[in-house]
Amino acid sequence: MKAIAYNINTKEKEWLILANYKKHDITIIANSLTLDTLNFAAGKEALIVFNKDLIDAPLIEGLKAVGIKYIASSTFGFDHIDLEAARLAGLKIANIPFKDGGALENMNQVITNLDNWSAGKCVGDACCCQKDCAIKIETH
């Protein structure tokens, strides 16, 4: 899967590269995601979000317009992402579904989320989509 990670610090970059181990084609950008830097996401399928960057409705519309289908947050919380706007745009969202993971464990979860989406599977407990699923299934 082609992904892009904005606003990543040096330590996070190291953990992400280690967790990914050349599975996914991840472009790493030090700049924050803004409407001005959105163009770097063109041609990518997934966005990896760090540092609780605010992903609001205008950014979500812009992400959809450049081809993003998935947003993987490297955080436990997801209140920095407008989930309703993402639902309306048809984007799938995932987070880190455990609070006390270490840095490498968190990055492993981000990569697992990308792996599952690549395989057409649901991300299970990491799912933050605003769909009304009683049971999470592969077509989610």
Side-chain angles (χ1 to χ4, degrees):
M1 174 173 286
K2 289 186 176 186
I4 188 163
Y6 285 85
N7 195 18
I8 185 170
N9 69 39
T10 304
K11 210 55 168 157
E12 291 168 329
K13 178 180 174 181
E14 291 174 22
W15 291 119
L16 182 63
I17 290 169
L18 186 61
N20 186 43
Y21 197 68
K22 301 180 183 180
K23 284 193 221 177
H24 301 281
D25 178 7
I26 301 175
T27 301
I28 296 173
I29 306 284
N31 297 27
S32 293
L33 174 62
T34 66
L35 293 174
D36 292 330
T37 61
L38 188 61
N39 60 318
F40 294 118
K44 310 292 191 253
E45 298 170 88
L47 167 69
I48 302 171
V49 178
F50 291 90
N51 305 315
K52 293 196 172 192
D53 285 338
L54 181 63
I55 310 297
D56 59 11
L59 274 177
I60 287 171
E61 284 304 313
L63 289 166
K64 180 182 178 181
V66 298
I68 295 291
K69 298 174 187 166
Y70 309 100
I71 299 174
S73 178
S74 67
T75 61
F76 175 75
F78 46 85
D79 57 341
H80 58 289
I81 301 170
D82 186 332
L83 296 179
E84 178 62 15
R87 182 188 68 77
L88 292 172
L91 302 183
K92 293 187 179 181
I93 312 294
N95 72 335
I96 305 297
F98 43 82
K99 278 187 175 182
D100 299 322
L104 183 56
E105 187 177 10
N106 289 351
M107 292 307 154
N108 283 332
Q109 180 64 52
V110 168
I111 298 304
T112 297
N113 292 339
L114 296 180
D115 291 345
N116 284 330
W117 283 330
S118 281
K121 297 179 182 176
C122 179
V123 294
D125 290 341
C127 181
C128 301
C129 297
Q130 296 295 291
K131 297 187 180 214
D132 187 18
C133 298
I135 298 173
K136 299 197 185 293
I137 55 174
E138 288 188 8
T139 58
H140 177 46

